[in-house]
Amino acid sequence: MTDDGRIKNDPYLLEVDGLDVTYHSQGRALAALQDVTITARPGEIIGIVGESGCGKSTLSAALLGLLPPNGEVTGGRALYQGRDLFTLGPEERRRLRGTEISMVFQDPLTSLNPTLTIGSQMLDVLRAHSPARADRAEARRRIVEMLERVGIPDPAARLRSYPHEFSGGQRQRIMIAMALLLEPALLIADEVTSALDVTLEAQILQLLCDLRDERGTTILFITHDLGVVAQICDRVVVMYAGRTVEEAEVTELFDRPLHPYTEALLASVPSRRRRGSELPTIPGRVPSLAELPEGCAFANRCAHAEPCCGEQRPRYVEVTGQRVRCHLYDPESGHANLRQPSAATTGRKEQP
Ligand code: ATP
Ligand code: SF4
């Protein structure tokens, strides 16, 4: 049982298993996602963390069926309430998007139509997905209630305002209100707070936590900000070069990171403990999709790399309740310095 009374063993709402996504570009097949594995239970907030280009947006686009024309799901499955999203027809997929699975993007200006009032855009959302709720007065009441819920002052009067008449933070909250209008069971939030100041960020994070608590919404919270992950997430999935490399409860990940990349990522986060000392950075760079190695994608930057790391792709193995994709923890890998889980306590005790 979790602290707030939810059952840890609830069936999964979402189960992404071995997902591969390929982009076709200039005659080449680029593996943007490889063997991505993520699970989410009802009411969980899952942080999906990684550097720019690691495939976070590709993952959400694949789940929503919104990959660009040159992108293709080439392997794996994504079970939503037991149904594989990738085998649904376009109409069923469209129906799920909005009614059960919603997404909030990081840039509300590109997602809102500048020529339509907020009220009419929100009404369109209700009408498109839920004709039963399209009674005008009832729809208006729901929209006003939702705008109020996300903290838009005087919402009834603001229905006739255009997107440019709101502040950046308000637009972000309007996007969240739109995503929630149809009470989705799963919300994918892609870098929703990265453009906001700290006060607005705190408000949005609180809103997401309230949502989870009040409605049991499951949230995939995509971010590069480990501080935010520490604040609101239950579990964290770390991605590197299109692969899931570690998954753990949030406290465990911060106390005891297993993957050398997660260790390095945590070490590079500023903290009070390290005030005045230079922050370590991760040497080298993420390999481009065109130059991904056969074996571990982190091998060119890893202090623990051995010949087996360059040759064999690491398996995603379970280590005392965490999952990690690294030969150091796989007795079958042949790595000479296998780590015992208890020895892997190089993490920080202090969360950012
Ligand atoms: P960011 O945090 O910067 O948004 P991200 O983690 O969301 O990055 P993606 O946008 O999913 O990463 O991109 C993953 C990889 O796929 C990157 O190497 C990117 O260059 C590549 N990529 C994305 N879209 C395409 C496309 N349409 N065609 C070819 N390659 C693409
Ligand atoms: Fe480092 Fe090898 Fe583990 Fe990759 S598999 S993270 S190179 S030790």
Side-chain angles (χ1 to χ4, degrees), residues 22-25 30-33 50-61 67-71 106 190-191 222-224 239 241-242 286-290:
T22 303
Y23 287 119
H24 301 278
S25 178
L30 305 170
L33 297 183
E51 288 169 276
S52 177
C54 73
K56 305 182 297 291
S57 303
T58 300
L59 170 66
S60 38
L67 283 170
N70 70 331
Q106 59 179 291
D190 188 0
E191 300 276 9
I222 298 175
T223 183
H224 61 270
M239 291 186 65
V286 187
S288 77
L289 297 185

Side-chain angles (χ1 to χ4, degrees), residues 269-295:
V269 176
S271 80
R272 285 189 299 279
R273 202 155 48 100
R274 296 211 194 87
R275 189 175 290 169
S277 60
E278 202 171 316
L279 279 178
T281 52
I282 308 175
R285 60 178 181 83
V286 187
S288 77
L289 297 185
E291 60 190 25
L292 280 176
E294 263 306 298

Side-chain angles (χ1 to χ4, degrees), residues 4 6 13 41-45 185 212-213 216-219 234:
D4 57 1
R6 285 172 298 111
L13 180 77
R41 291 194 166 90
E44 270 191 318
I45 304 184
R212 183 275 295 278
D213 294 343
T217 311
T218 302
I219 302 174
D234 300 304

Side-chain angles (χ1 to χ4, degrees), residues 259-261 296-299 302-306 309 314 325-328 335:
H259 197 281
Y261 173 63
C296 173
F298 191 56
C302 181
H304 309 283
E306 289 206 342
C309 299
R325 191 184 299 280
C326 172
H327 289 319
L328 283 170
H335 198 290

Side-chain angles (χ1 to χ4, degrees), residues 252-266:
E252 282 164 13
L253 188 103
F254 282 97
D255 286 352
R256 196 187 61 151
L258 298 182
H259 197 281
Y261 173 63
T262 318
E263 290 176 349
L265 208 56
L266 289 177

Side-chain angles (χ1 to χ4, degrees), residues 116-317:
L116 294 175
T117 65
I118 290 303
S120 68
Q121 292 188 58
M122 293 184 79
L123 194 59
D124 284 348
V125 169
L126 271 182
R127 284 200 173 130
H129 293 285
S130 178
R133 295 174 182 164
D135 167 70
R136 209 176 167 81
E138 165 61 9
R140 189 175 187 281
R141 190 195 60 72
R142 278 179 62 80
I143 291 168
V144 169
E145 181 187 292
M146 192 53 78
L147 288 173
E148 194 159 37
R149 183 76 196 74
V150 300
I152 300 297
D154 197 8
R158 300 303 308 272
L159 291 181
R160 287 189 296 277
S161 300
Y162 290 86
H164 71 271
E165 297 177 271
F166 292 89
S167 70
Q170 286 175 329
R171 282 194 292 265
Q172 191 61 277
R173 279 181 278 169
I174 289 166
M175 286 302 301
I176 293 178
M178 265 185 177
L180 299 180
L181 260 185
L182 298 160
E183 301 181 7
L186 175 65
L187 178 70
I188 303 175
D190 188 0
E191 300 276 9
V192 282
T193 59
S194 53
L196 304 179
D197 63 43
V198 284
T199 315
L200 283 171
E201 178 179 67
Q203 285 175 17
I204 300 284
L205 296 180
Q206 186 58 52
L207 175 66
L208 294 176
C209 291
D210 290 349
L211 261 176
R212 183 275 295 278
D213 294 343
E214 291 165 18
R215 296 165 191 248
T217 311
T218 302
I219 302 174
L220 293 191
F221 190 85
I222 298 175
T223 183
H224 61 270
D225 187 338
L226 283 163
V228 171
V229 166
Q231 279 180 59
I232 71 159
C233 294
D234 300 304
R235 277 189 303 124
V236 195
V237 173
V238 181
M239 291 186 65
Y240 185 80
R243 301 160 190 198
T244 37
V245 296
E246 183 159 1
E247 178 183 336
E249 301 275 328
V250 76
T251 45
E252 282 164 13
L253 188 103
F254 282 97
D255 286 352
R256 196 187 61 151
L258 298 182
H259 197 281
Y261 173 63
T262 318
E263 290 176 349
L265 208 56
L266 289 177
S268 62
V269 176
S271 80
R272 285 189 299 279
R273 202 155 48 100
R274 296 211 194 87
R275 189 175 290 169
S277 60
E278 202 171 316
L279 279 178
T281 52
I282 308 175
R285 60 178 181 83
V286 187
S288 77
L289 297 185
E291 60 190 25
L292 280 176
E294 263 306 298
C296 173
F298 191 56
N300 65 334
R301 306 170 83 184
C302 181
H304 309 283
E306 289 206 342
C308 66
C309 299
E311 292 154 12
Q312 304 160 26
R313 197 176 292 178
R315 300 188 303 161
Y316 210 22
V317 292

